[in-house]
Amino acid sequence: MSSTYGIVAVALVAVATLGIGAFGLRFSRTTSDFYVASRSVSPVLNSSAIGGEYLSAASFLGIAGLVLAFGADMLWYPIGWTTGYLLLLVLVAAPLRRSGAYTIPDFAQVRLQSDAVRRVASLLVVAVGWLYLMPQFQGAGLTLRTVTGAPTWVGTVVVAAIVVVNVVSGGMRSITFVQAFQYWLKLTALMVPLFFLVHAWDDDGRPSPAAPGSWFEPLTQNGGTGLYLTYSVMIATFLGTMGLPHVVVRFYTNPDGHAARRTTLLVLALLGVFYLLPTVYGVLGRVYAGDLVSSGRTDTVVLELPGRMIGGTTGEVLAALLTAGAFAAFLSTSSGLTMSIAGVVGQGLARGRISTITALRLAAVGCVVVPLVLALSAQRISVANSVTFAFALAASTFCPLLVLGIWWRGLTAAGAIAGLVGGGLCAGVAPVLTIATSPEGWFGVLMSQPAAWSVPVGFGLMLGVSLATRGSVPANVSRTMVRLHTPERLDVDRRF
Protein backbone atom coordinates (compact mmCIF):
# COMPACT_ATOMS: atom_id res chain seq x y z
CA MET A 1 0.00 0.00 0.00
CA SER A 2 1.22 3.52 -0.79
CA SER A 3 2.28 5.29 2.39
CA THR A 4 0.69 8.49 1.04
CA TYR A 5 -2.80 6.98 1.06
CA GLY A 6 -2.27 5.62 4.56
CA ILE A 7 -1.02 8.93 5.93
CA VAL A 8 -3.95 10.79 4.38
CA ALA A 9 -6.43 8.29 5.88
CA VAL A 10 -4.95 8.61 9.37
CA ALA A 11 -4.79 12.40 9.08
CA LEU A 12 -8.44 12.67 8.02
CA VAL A 13 -9.60 10.49 10.91
CA ALA A 14 -7.50 12.51 13.36
CA VAL A 15 -8.84 15.84 12.06
CA ALA A 16 -12.45 14.60 12.06
CA THR A 17 -12.06 13.27 15.61
CA LEU A 18 -10.62 16.54 16.92
CA GLY A 19 -13.19 18.59 15.00
CA ILE A 20 -16.18 16.64 16.35
CA GLY A 21 -14.67 16.77 19.82
CA ALA A 22 -14.37 20.56 19.53
CA PHE A 23 -18.03 20.69 18.48
CA GLY A 24 -18.97 18.78 21.63
CA LEU A 25 -17.00 21.27 23.71
CA ARG A 26 -19.67 23.87 22.93
CA PHE A 27 -22.13 21.87 25.06
CA SER A 28 -19.78 20.98 27.93
CA ARG A 29 -20.16 23.47 30.75
CA THR A 30 -20.99 21.67 33.98
CA THR A 31 -19.50 18.80 35.96
CA SER A 32 -22.42 16.61 34.86
CA ASP A 33 -21.64 17.44 31.21
CA PHE A 34 -18.06 16.28 31.63
CA TYR A 35 -18.81 13.10 33.59
CA VAL A 36 -22.14 11.80 32.17
CA ALA A 37 -23.19 14.27 29.42
CA SER A 38 -25.87 15.58 31.84
CA ARG A 39 -27.66 12.20 31.59
CA SER A 40 -29.42 13.40 28.43
CA VAL A 41 -28.06 11.14 25.63
CA SER A 42 -30.79 9.52 23.53
CA PRO A 43 -30.81 5.72 22.98
CA VAL A 44 -29.96 6.08 19.27
CA LEU A 45 -26.95 8.34 19.87
CA ASN A 46 -25.83 6.40 22.93
CA SER A 47 -26.02 3.01 21.20
CA SER A 48 -23.87 4.32 18.34
CA ALA A 49 -21.40 5.72 20.86
CA ILE A 50 -21.28 2.41 22.75
CA GLY A 51 -20.73 0.56 19.50
CA GLY A 52 -17.95 2.99 18.69
CA GLU A 53 -16.05 2.52 21.94
CA TYR A 54 -16.76 -1.22 22.36
CA LEU A 55 -15.56 -2.27 18.89
CA SER A 56 -11.88 -1.98 19.61
CA ALA A 57 -8.74 -3.10 17.83
CA ALA A 58 -9.58 -6.63 18.98
CA SER A 59 -12.82 -6.47 17.00
CA PHE A 60 -11.59 -4.61 13.92
CA LEU A 61 -8.27 -6.43 13.45
CA GLY A 62 -8.03 -9.19 16.04
CA ILE A 63 -11.04 -11.35 15.14
CA ALA A 64 -10.03 -11.67 11.49
CA GLY A 65 -6.49 -12.55 12.59
CA LEU A 66 -7.70 -15.22 15.01
CA VAL A 67 -10.08 -16.73 12.45
CA LEU A 68 -7.21 -16.77 9.94
CA ALA A 69 -4.96 -18.61 12.38
CA PHE A 70 -7.33 -20.89 14.31
CA GLY A 71 -10.63 -21.04 12.45
CA ALA A 72 -14.06 -21.82 13.86
CA ASP A 73 -12.99 -21.88 17.53
CA MET A 74 -12.44 -18.14 17.40
CA LEU A 75 -16.04 -17.32 16.53
CA TRP A 76 -16.78 -17.54 20.26
CA TYR A 77 -15.07 -14.18 20.68
CA PRO A 78 -17.59 -12.11 18.67
CA ILE A 79 -20.45 -14.29 19.92
CA GLY A 80 -19.38 -13.70 23.51
CA TRP A 81 -18.77 -9.98 23.10
CA THR A 82 -22.27 -9.58 21.67
CA THR A 83 -24.04 -11.90 24.11
CA GLY A 84 -22.49 -9.98 26.99
CA TYR A 85 -24.84 -7.12 26.15
CA LEU A 86 -27.86 -9.41 26.41
CA LEU A 87 -26.86 -10.30 29.97
CA LEU A 88 -26.18 -6.64 30.67
CA LEU A 89 -29.68 -5.81 29.38
CA VAL A 90 -31.38 -8.39 31.58
CA LEU A 91 -29.39 -7.98 34.80
CA VAL A 92 -27.74 -4.59 35.05
CA ALA A 93 -28.66 -1.78 32.62
CA ALA A 94 -31.79 -0.24 34.14
CA PRO A 95 -30.99 -0.69 37.87
CA LEU A 96 -27.51 0.71 37.34
CA ARG A 97 -28.93 3.83 35.70
CA ARG A 98 -31.45 4.28 38.51
CA SER A 99 -28.64 4.20 41.08
CA GLY A 100 -27.73 7.76 40.07
CA ALA A 101 -24.02 6.96 40.27
CA TYR A 102 -21.32 8.37 37.98
CA THR A 103 -18.96 5.37 38.10
CA ILE A 104 -18.69 1.78 39.37
CA PRO A 105 -16.98 2.93 42.60
CA ASP A 106 -19.87 5.39 43.09
CA PHE A 107 -22.33 2.50 42.76
CA ALA A 108 -20.31 0.42 45.24
CA GLN A 109 -20.42 3.19 47.81
CA VAL A 110 -24.12 3.89 47.27
CA ARG A 111 -25.01 0.22 47.62
CA LEU A 112 -22.67 -0.76 50.47
CA GLN A 113 -22.03 2.55 52.27
CA SER A 114 -18.32 1.79 52.45
CA ASP A 115 -15.33 3.97 51.52
CA ALA A 116 -13.10 0.89 51.62
CA VAL A 117 -15.11 -0.85 48.89
CA ARG A 118 -15.01 2.33 46.85
CA ARG A 119 -11.20 2.49 47.07
CA VAL A 120 -10.76 -1.15 46.03
CA ALA A 121 -13.19 -0.70 43.14
CA SER A 122 -11.33 2.43 42.04
CA LEU A 123 -8.03 0.56 41.89
CA LEU A 124 -9.63 -2.18 39.82
CA VAL A 125 -11.15 0.33 37.39
CA VAL A 126 -7.66 1.64 36.77
CA ALA A 127 -6.25 -1.89 36.38
CA VAL A 128 -8.92 -3.00 33.90
CA GLY A 129 -8.58 0.25 31.98
CA TRP A 130 -4.81 0.03 31.69
CA LEU A 131 -4.94 -3.64 30.68
CA TYR A 132 -7.42 -2.74 27.94
CA LEU A 133 -5.64 0.46 26.84
CA MET A 134 -2.24 -1.11 26.26
CA PRO A 135 -3.28 -3.30 23.26
CA GLN A 136 -5.15 -0.34 21.73
CA PHE A 137 -1.96 1.70 21.74
CA GLN A 138 0.10 -1.24 20.47
CA GLY A 139 -2.38 -1.91 17.70
CA ALA A 140 -2.21 1.70 16.58
CA GLY A 141 1.56 1.44 16.25
CA LEU A 142 1.27 -1.83 14.31
CA THR A 143 -1.30 -0.37 11.92
CA LEU A 144 0.64 2.78 11.14
CA ARG A 145 3.82 0.76 10.60
CA THR A 146 2.01 -1.64 8.26
CA VAL A 147 0.53 1.05 6.02
CA THR A 148 3.21 3.76 6.15
CA GLY A 149 6.44 2.12 7.31
CA ALA A 150 6.67 4.54 10.24
CA PRO A 151 8.24 3.36 13.50
CA THR A 152 5.79 1.55 15.77
CA TRP A 153 5.98 4.21 18.49
CA VAL A 154 4.58 6.91 16.17
CA GLY A 155 1.06 5.46 15.93
CA THR A 156 1.05 4.69 19.64
CA VAL A 157 1.93 8.25 20.63
CA VAL A 158 -0.42 9.85 18.08
CA VAL A 159 -3.46 7.94 19.39
CA ALA A 160 -2.58 8.71 23.02
CA ALA A 161 -2.20 12.43 22.26
CA ILE A 162 -5.51 12.72 20.36
CA VAL A 163 -7.37 10.86 23.10
CA VAL A 164 -6.03 13.13 25.82
CA VAL A 165 -6.95 16.26 23.85
CA ASN A 166 -10.54 15.07 23.33
CA VAL A 167 -11.12 14.00 26.92
CA VAL A 168 -9.52 17.13 28.37
CA SER A 169 -11.42 19.46 26.07
CA GLY A 170 -15.01 18.24 26.41
CA GLY A 171 -15.25 15.16 28.62
CA MET A 172 -18.16 12.74 28.10
CA ARG A 173 -20.17 15.19 26.00
CA SER A 174 -17.43 15.44 23.34
CA ILE A 175 -16.54 11.75 23.54
CA THR A 176 -20.17 10.75 22.87
CA PHE A 177 -20.29 12.58 19.53
CA VAL A 178 -16.86 11.28 18.53
CA GLN A 179 -17.62 7.65 19.32
CA ALA A 180 -20.99 7.68 17.54
CA PHE A 181 -19.27 8.97 14.39
CA GLN A 182 -16.54 6.38 14.69
CA TYR A 183 -18.92 3.42 14.90
CA TRP A 184 -20.41 4.26 11.51
CA LEU A 185 -16.96 4.96 10.09
CA LYS A 186 -15.73 1.52 11.22
CA LEU A 187 -18.78 -0.24 9.82
CA THR A 188 -18.38 1.53 6.47
CA ALA A 189 -14.63 0.92 6.43
CA LEU A 190 -15.17 -2.85 6.69
CA MET A 191 -18.31 -3.18 4.56
CA VAL A 192 -17.28 -1.25 1.42
CA PRO A 193 -13.93 -3.03 0.83
CA LEU A 194 -15.54 -6.39 1.61
CA PHE A 195 -17.92 -5.96 -1.33
CA PHE A 196 -14.95 -5.56 -3.67
CA LEU A 197 -13.00 -8.40 -2.04
CA VAL A 198 -15.82 -10.93 -2.28
CA HIS A 199 -16.39 -9.91 -5.91
CA ALA A 200 -12.66 -10.40 -6.62
CA TRP A 201 -12.72 -13.83 -4.93
CA ASP A 202 -15.71 -14.87 -7.03
CA ASP A 203 -13.99 -13.74 -10.25
CA ASP A 204 -10.73 -15.40 -9.24
CA GLY A 205 -12.39 -18.79 -8.80
CA ARG A 206 -10.05 -19.94 -6.01
CA PRO A 207 -11.28 -22.87 -3.89
CA SER A 208 -12.32 -22.75 -0.25
CA PRO A 209 -9.64 -22.14 2.38
CA ALA A 210 -6.85 -24.71 2.47
CA ALA A 211 -6.44 -25.64 6.13
CA PRO A 212 -6.33 -28.66 8.43
CA GLY A 213 -9.63 -30.14 9.55
CA SER A 214 -9.32 -28.55 13.00
CA TRP A 215 -9.56 -25.10 11.37
CA PHE A 216 -13.15 -25.81 10.32
CA GLU A 217 -14.32 -27.50 13.53
CA PRO A 218 -14.75 -26.08 17.04
CA LEU A 219 -13.39 -27.58 20.26
CA THR A 220 -10.52 -29.45 18.61
CA GLN A 221 -7.50 -27.21 18.86
CA ASN A 222 -4.81 -27.94 21.48
CA GLY A 223 -6.03 -31.51 21.98
CA GLY A 224 -8.01 -32.14 25.17
CA THR A 225 -7.73 -28.56 26.37
CA GLY A 226 -9.96 -27.17 23.61
CA LEU A 227 -13.19 -27.59 25.57
CA TYR A 228 -11.78 -25.76 28.60
CA LEU A 229 -10.41 -22.91 26.50
CA THR A 230 -13.71 -22.42 24.69
CA TYR A 231 -15.82 -22.34 27.84
CA SER A 232 -13.36 -20.03 29.57
CA VAL A 233 -13.54 -17.58 26.65
CA MET A 234 -17.34 -17.76 26.80
CA ILE A 235 -17.39 -17.02 30.54
CA ALA A 236 -14.95 -14.11 30.18
CA THR A 237 -16.77 -12.49 27.26
CA PHE A 238 -20.34 -13.22 28.42
CA LEU A 239 -19.79 -11.86 31.95
CA GLY A 240 -16.92 -9.44 31.39
CA THR A 241 -18.92 -6.99 29.29
CA MET A 242 -21.08 -5.86 32.20
CA GLY A 243 -17.95 -5.24 34.27
CA LEU A 244 -16.02 -3.09 31.80
CA PRO A 245 -15.85 0.44 33.28
CA HIS A 246 -16.01 2.23 29.92
CA VAL A 247 -19.12 0.24 28.95
CA VAL A 248 -20.93 0.66 32.27
CA VAL A 249 -20.34 4.41 32.46
CA ARG A 250 -22.24 4.96 29.21
CA PHE A 251 -25.48 3.77 30.82
CA TYR A 252 -25.21 6.60 33.34
CA THR A 253 -25.63 9.00 30.40
CA ASN A 254 -29.18 7.81 29.57
CA PRO A 255 -32.12 9.84 30.91
CA ASP A 256 -33.69 6.87 32.76
CA GLY A 257 -33.74 3.07 33.11
CA HIS A 258 -36.14 2.58 30.19
CA ALA A 259 -33.79 4.49 27.89
CA ALA A 260 -30.89 2.37 29.17
CA ARG A 261 -32.71 -0.82 28.15
CA ARG A 262 -33.61 0.59 24.72
CA THR A 263 -29.97 1.57 24.26
CA THR A 264 -28.84 -1.98 25.01
CA LEU A 265 -31.26 -3.48 22.49
CA LEU A 266 -29.95 -1.16 19.78
CA VAL A 267 -26.36 -2.03 20.71
CA LEU A 268 -27.12 -5.74 20.23
CA ALA A 269 -28.32 -5.01 16.69
CA LEU A 270 -25.32 -2.81 15.85
CA LEU A 271 -22.81 -5.36 17.15
CA GLY A 272 -24.53 -8.25 15.38
CA VAL A 273 -24.21 -6.48 12.02
CA PHE A 274 -20.59 -5.49 12.60
CA TYR A 275 -19.27 -8.87 13.74
CA LEU A 276 -20.37 -10.59 10.55
CA LEU A 277 -17.68 -8.68 8.63
CA PRO A 278 -14.32 -9.50 10.33
CA THR A 279 -15.14 -13.21 10.13
CA VAL A 280 -15.32 -13.02 6.34
CA TYR A 281 -11.98 -11.19 6.25
CA GLY A 282 -10.46 -14.05 8.25
CA VAL A 283 -11.79 -16.66 5.80
CA LEU A 284 -10.50 -14.69 2.82
CA GLY A 285 -7.17 -14.36 4.60
CA ARG A 286 -6.87 -18.14 4.72
CA VAL A 287 -7.16 -18.19 0.93
CA TYR A 288 -4.94 -15.24 0.03
CA ALA A 289 -2.74 -14.51 3.06
CA GLY A 290 -1.95 -17.85 4.72
CA ASP A 291 1.72 -16.84 5.03
CA LEU A 292 0.77 -14.32 7.76
CA VAL A 293 0.22 -17.25 10.14
CA SER A 294 3.82 -18.44 9.94
CA SER A 295 5.18 -14.90 10.11
CA GLY A 296 3.13 -14.03 13.20
CA ARG A 297 1.41 -11.05 11.55
CA THR A 298 -2.18 -12.31 11.51
CA ASP A 299 -3.46 -9.05 13.05
CA THR A 300 -2.60 -7.27 9.78
CA VAL A 301 -4.73 -9.48 7.50
CA VAL A 302 -7.58 -6.95 7.22
CA LEU A 303 -5.16 -4.27 6.05
CA GLU A 304 -3.27 -6.48 3.59
CA LEU A 305 -6.12 -8.19 1.73
CA PRO A 306 -6.98 -5.30 -0.66
CA GLY A 307 -3.40 -5.14 -1.94
CA ARG A 308 -3.16 -8.91 -2.38
CA MET A 309 -6.57 -9.49 -3.95
CA ILE A 310 -7.17 -6.33 -5.99
CA GLY A 311 -3.98 -4.29 -6.18
CA GLY A 312 -3.48 -1.07 -8.11
CA THR A 313 -5.03 2.23 -7.14
CA THR A 314 -8.33 0.61 -6.17
CA GLY A 315 -6.60 -1.73 -3.77
CA GLU A 316 -4.64 1.12 -2.21
CA VAL A 317 -7.75 3.27 -1.75
CA LEU A 318 -9.63 0.39 -0.11
CA ALA A 319 -6.65 -0.34 2.15
CA ALA A 320 -6.61 3.34 3.12
CA LEU A 321 -10.30 3.15 4.04
CA LEU A 322 -9.58 0.12 6.22
CA THR A 323 -6.69 2.01 7.80
CA ALA A 324 -9.07 4.84 8.63
CA GLY A 325 -11.47 2.37 10.26
CA ALA A 326 -8.71 0.71 12.25
CA PHE A 327 -7.43 4.06 13.49
CA ALA A 328 -10.97 5.03 14.46
CA ALA A 329 -11.17 1.78 16.47
CA PHE A 330 -8.09 2.71 18.47
CA LEU A 331 -9.28 6.26 19.07
CA SER A 332 -12.86 5.46 20.08
CA THR A 333 -12.06 2.66 22.52
CA SER A 334 -9.09 4.51 23.99
CA SER A 335 -11.25 7.59 24.51
CA GLY A 336 -13.89 5.63 26.42
CA LEU A 337 -11.31 3.88 28.57
CA THR A 338 -9.48 7.09 29.37
CA MET A 339 -12.76 8.79 30.27
CA SER A 340 -13.77 5.98 32.62
CA ILE A 341 -10.38 5.92 34.38
CA ALA A 342 -10.14 9.70 34.58
CA GLY A 343 -13.67 9.89 36.01
CA VAL A 344 -12.71 7.64 38.91
CA VAL A 345 -9.27 9.16 39.57
CA GLY A 346 -10.58 12.70 39.08
CA GLN A 347 -13.20 12.26 41.78
CA GLY A 348 -10.44 11.35 44.20
CA LEU A 349 -8.34 14.36 43.23
CA ALA A 350 -11.36 16.69 43.47
CA ARG A 351 -11.59 16.06 47.20
CA GLY A 352 -8.64 18.40 47.54
CA ARG A 353 -8.46 22.05 46.54
CA ILE A 354 -9.02 21.79 42.78
CA SER A 355 -12.31 21.80 40.90
CA THR A 356 -13.94 18.59 39.69
CA ILE A 357 -13.45 19.43 36.01
CA THR A 358 -9.79 20.37 36.51
CA ALA A 359 -9.27 17.13 38.43
CA LEU A 360 -10.77 15.11 35.57
CA ARG A 361 -8.50 16.82 33.05
CA LEU A 362 -5.38 16.21 35.13
CA ALA A 363 -6.40 12.58 35.69
CA ALA A 364 -6.90 12.06 31.95
CA VAL A 365 -3.33 13.11 31.24
CA GLY A 366 -1.85 11.07 34.08
CA CYS A 367 -3.89 7.92 33.39
CA VAL A 368 -2.67 7.65 29.80
CA VAL A 369 1.02 7.73 30.70
CA VAL A 370 1.27 4.24 32.28
CA PRO A 371 -0.40 2.24 29.46
CA LEU A 372 1.52 4.35 26.95
CA VAL A 373 4.84 3.39 28.55
CA LEU A 374 3.75 -0.26 28.75
CA ALA A 375 2.70 -0.27 25.10
CA LEU A 376 6.07 1.12 24.06
CA SER A 377 8.14 -1.24 26.19
CA ALA A 378 6.20 -4.50 26.66
CA GLN A 379 6.25 -7.51 24.37
CA ARG A 380 3.39 -7.37 21.85
CA ILE A 381 0.76 -10.11 22.04
CA SER A 382 -2.39 -10.69 19.98
CA VAL A 383 -4.81 -7.78 20.48
CA ALA A 384 -7.78 -10.13 20.92
CA ASN A 385 -5.96 -12.27 23.49
CA SER A 386 -4.79 -9.28 25.51
CA VAL A 387 -8.29 -7.79 25.53
CA THR A 388 -9.64 -11.13 26.79
CA PHE A 389 -7.42 -10.76 29.88
CA ALA A 390 -9.21 -7.47 30.61
CA PHE A 391 -12.58 -9.21 30.15
CA ALA A 392 -11.52 -11.98 32.55
CA LEU A 393 -10.49 -9.42 35.18
CA ALA A 394 -13.77 -7.52 34.82
CA ALA A 395 -15.81 -10.74 34.92
CA SER A 396 -14.01 -11.88 38.09
CA THR A 397 -14.50 -8.61 40.00
CA PHE A 398 -17.10 -6.13 38.80
CA CYS A 399 -19.55 -8.70 37.44
CA PRO A 400 -20.04 -10.31 40.90
CA LEU A 401 -20.19 -6.85 42.50
CA LEU A 402 -22.89 -5.59 40.13
CA VAL A 403 -24.98 -8.78 39.95
CA LEU A 404 -24.97 -9.44 43.69
CA GLY A 405 -25.19 -5.75 44.57
CA ILE A 406 -28.30 -5.30 42.41
CA TRP A 407 -30.08 -8.60 43.03
CA TRP A 408 -29.03 -9.78 46.53
CA ARG A 409 -29.72 -7.69 49.60
CA GLY A 410 -27.34 -9.83 51.68
CA LEU A 411 -24.12 -8.48 50.11
CA THR A 412 -21.83 -6.82 52.69
CA ALA A 413 -18.81 -4.55 52.38
CA ALA A 414 -16.50 -7.27 53.69
CA GLY A 415 -17.86 -9.76 51.16
CA ALA A 416 -17.49 -7.28 48.30
CA ILE A 417 -13.88 -6.53 49.22
CA ALA A 418 -13.03 -10.23 49.53
CA GLY A 419 -14.49 -10.99 46.12
CA LEU A 420 -12.92 -7.99 44.43
CA VAL A 421 -9.47 -8.72 45.86
CA GLY A 422 -9.60 -12.51 45.46
CA GLY A 423 -11.09 -12.53 41.97
CA GLY A 424 -8.84 -9.66 40.95
CA LEU A 425 -5.67 -11.41 42.11
CA CYS A 426 -6.60 -14.65 40.33
CA ALA A 427 -7.44 -12.96 37.05
CA GLY A 428 -4.63 -10.40 37.36
CA VAL A 429 -1.74 -12.77 38.04
CA ALA A 430 -2.63 -14.99 35.05
CA PRO A 431 -1.68 -12.54 32.25
CA VAL A 432 1.53 -11.57 34.05
CA LEU A 433 2.64 -15.20 34.27
CA THR A 434 1.54 -15.91 30.70
CA ILE A 435 3.49 -12.99 29.25
CA ALA A 436 6.54 -13.33 31.51
CA THR A 437 7.08 -17.10 31.59
CA SER A 438 4.97 -18.68 28.79
CA PRO A 439 3.99 -21.69 30.96
CA GLU A 440 3.16 -25.01 29.29
CA GLY A 441 0.81 -27.90 29.92
CA TRP A 442 -2.44 -27.58 31.83
CA PHE A 443 -0.98 -24.85 34.03
CA GLY A 444 -0.28 -22.78 30.94
CA VAL A 445 -3.82 -23.39 29.69
CA LEU A 446 -5.33 -22.29 33.01
CA MET A 447 -3.21 -19.13 33.02
CA SER A 448 -3.93 -18.27 29.37
CA GLN A 449 -7.71 -18.26 29.94
CA PRO A 450 -8.36 -17.85 33.68
CA ALA A 451 -12.05 -16.84 33.66
CA ALA A 452 -13.41 -20.40 34.10
CA TRP A 453 -11.88 -20.57 37.57
CA SER A 454 -11.32 -16.92 38.57
CA VAL A 455 -15.00 -15.91 38.13
CA PRO A 456 -16.25 -18.64 40.53
CA VAL A 457 -13.59 -17.49 43.01
CA GLY A 458 -14.91 -13.90 42.84
CA PHE A 459 -18.56 -14.94 43.24
CA GLY A 460 -17.74 -17.54 45.91
CA LEU A 461 -15.78 -15.14 48.09
CA MET A 462 -18.45 -12.44 47.89
CA LEU A 463 -21.19 -14.90 48.81
CA GLY A 464 -19.23 -16.75 51.51
CA VAL A 465 -17.81 -13.75 53.33
CA SER A 466 -21.14 -11.87 53.10
CA LEU A 467 -22.93 -14.82 54.72
CA ALA A 468 -20.28 -14.89 57.43
CA THR A 469 -20.72 -11.15 58.08
CA ARG A 470 -24.49 -10.92 57.55
CA GLY A 471 -24.79 -8.67 60.58
CA SER A 472 -23.08 -5.83 58.69
CA VAL A 473 -25.61 -5.54 55.85
CA PRO A 474 -26.18 -1.77 55.31
CA ALA A 475 -29.13 -0.45 57.30
CA ASN A 476 -30.60 1.32 54.26
CA VAL A 477 -30.50 -1.72 51.95
CA SER A 478 -34.30 -1.89 51.56
CA ARG A 479 -34.52 1.74 50.44
CA THR A 480 -31.59 1.20 48.06
CA MET A 481 -33.26 -1.83 46.48
CA VAL A 482 -36.46 0.16 45.97
CA ARG A 483 -34.50 2.82 44.12
CA LEU A 484 -32.67 0.30 41.93
CA HIS A 485 -35.69 -1.76 40.89
CA THR A 486 -38.63 0.64 40.76
CA PRO A 487 -39.35 2.25 37.35
CA GLU A 488 -38.98 6.01 37.31
CA ARG A 489 -42.64 6.57 36.38
CA LEU A 490 -43.76 5.28 39.81
CA ASP A 491 -43.98 7.85 42.56
CA VAL A 492 -41.90 6.43 45.41
CA ASP A 493 -39.37 7.87 47.84
CA ARG A 494 -35.97 7.41 46.15
CA ARG A 495 -33.83 9.10 48.75
CA PHE A 496 -31.11 7.01 50.37
Side-chain angles (χ1 to χ4, degrees), residues 234-247:
M234 291 168 63
I235 291 171
T237 53
F238 283 23
L239 301 180
T241 300
M242 73 177 71
L244 293 176
H246 66 297
V247 170

Side-chain angles (χ1 to χ4, degrees), residues 58-253:
S59 297
F60 198 92
L61 300 177
I63 290 175
L66 289 173
V67 170
L68 164 62
F70 302 110
D73 277 339
M74 300 300 104
L75 295 180
W76 284 114
Y77 282 94
I79 291 172
W81 289 333
T82 305
T83 306
Y85 271 94
L86 180 61
L87 297 179
L88 192 152
L89 168 67
V90 173
L91 299 174
V92 172
L96 194 62
R97 170 60 189 88
R98 295 186 191 116
S99 72
Y102 283 125
T103 62
I104 290 180
D106 284 343
F107 170 81
Q109 187 171 43
V110 165
R111 173 63 180 82
L112 297 167
Q113 302 294 299
S114 168
D115 287 334
V117 177
R118 181 192 180 90
R119 286 192 291 270
V120 174
S122 297
L123 290 174
L124 284 168
V125 166
V126 175
V128 172
W130 283 351
L131 190 59
Y132 212 124
L133 264 175
M134 187 182 77
Q136 307 308 313
F137 291 160
Q138 288 185 328
L142 172 67
T143 298
L144 206 62
R145 186 189 68 189
T146 300
V147 299
T148 69
T152 302
W153 65 266
V154 174
T156 300
V157 172
V158 167
V159 166
I162 294 174
V163 165
V164 168
V165 169
N166 263 341
V167 173
V168 166
S169 63
M172 182 61 79
R173 183 74 76 176
S174 291
I175 293 302
T176 297
F177 291 123
V178 168
Q179 290 174 332
F181 158 75
Q182 287 171 338
Y183 169 79
W184 295 105
L185 172 60
K186 285 184 281 190
L187 185 66
T188 302
L190 281 178
M191 188 173 291
V192 172
L194 188 59
F195 173 81
F196 288 91
L197 294 176
V198 171
H199 183 69
W201 183 25
D202 183 60
D203 287 345
D204 191 29
R206 290 202 188 186
S208 298
S214 61
W215 190 85
F216 297 95
E217 300 172 5
L219 308 180
T220 57
Q221 67 167 355
N222 296 326
T225 64
L227 188 63
Y228 169 84
L229 289 170
T230 299
Y231 279 111
S232 194
V233 167
M234 291 168 63
I235 291 171
T237 53
F238 283 23
L239 301 180
T241 300
M242 73 177 71
L244 293 176
H246 66 297
V247 170
V248 172
V249 74
R250 292 233 57 99
F251 289 94
Y252 300 132
T253 66

Side-chain angles (χ1 to χ4, degrees), residues 167 176 198 226 249 252 279 314 331-332 339 384 394 404 471:
V167 173
T176 297
V198 171
V249 74
Y252 300 132
T279 304
T314 302
L331 289 172
S332 58
M339 185 67 223
L404 296 178

Side-chain angles (χ1 to χ4, degrees), residues 230-480:
T230 299
Y231 279 111
S232 194
V233 167
M234 291 168 63
I235 291 171
T237 53
F238 283 23
L239 301 180
T241 300
M242 73 177 71
L244 293 176
H246 66 297
V247 170
V248 172
V249 74
R250 292 233 57 99
F251 289 94
Y252 300 132
T253 66
N254 281 122
D256 52 41
H258 178 67
R261 283 202 169 103
R262 286 185 59 201
T263 296
T264 312
L265 283 172
L266 291 171
V267 170
L268 282 167
L270 295 179
L271 296 185
V273 171
F274 181 92
Y275 278 131
L276 293 173
L277 306 177
T279 304
V280 182
Y281 277 89
V283 173
L284 291 175
R286 195 73 200 195
V287 179
Y288 291 92
D291 59 291
L292 295 179
V293 178
S294 58
S295 63
R297 296 187 298 118
T298 55
D299 283 339
T300 67
V301 63
V302 169
L303 304 174
E304 296 205 16
L305 279 176
R308 294 185 180 219
M309 295 180 63
I310 299 174
T313 302
T314 302
E316 292 182 349
V317 171
L318 293 176
L321 180 57
L322 287 165
T323 301
F327 216 70
F330 307 131
L331 289 172
S332 58
T333 302
S334 299
S335 297
L337 289 164
T338 302
M339 185 67 223
S340 64
I341 301 171
V344 170
V345 176
Q347 284 183 324
L349 294 176
R351 297 183 180 184
R353 298 181 178 180
I354 59 177
S355 70
T356 303
I357 294 177
T358 300
L360 184 144
R361 287 170 166 164
L362 292 174
V365 176
C367 290
V368 166
V369 172
V370 172
L372 177 61
V373 171
L374 289 174
L376 293 172
S377 58
Q379 173 187 354
R380 197 185 75 81
I381 59 176
S382 166
V383 289
N385 286 338
S386 56
V387 164
T388 302
F389 285 134
F391 272 80
L393 180 57
S396 304
T397 54
F398 292 136
C399 174
L401 176 67
L402 292 173
V403 171
L404 296 178
I406 290 172
W407 296 101
W408 185 45
R409 59 185 293 120
L411 182 66
T412 66
I417 291 173
L420 290 172
V421 173
L425 285 175
C426 291
V429 169
V432 175
L433 288 177
T434 300
I435 296 171
T437 64
S438 299
E440 298 180 352
W442 262 103
F443 180 72
V445 172
L446 294 172
M447 292 299 103
S448 68
Q449 294 291 351
W453 56 273
S454 62
V455 171
V457 168
F459 270 102
L461 285 172
M462 281 197 193
L463 287 166
V465 175
S466 292
L467 290 173
T469 58
R470 59 172 60 94
S472 61
V473 171
N476 68 339
V477 64
S478 296
R479 188 179 294 273
T480 302

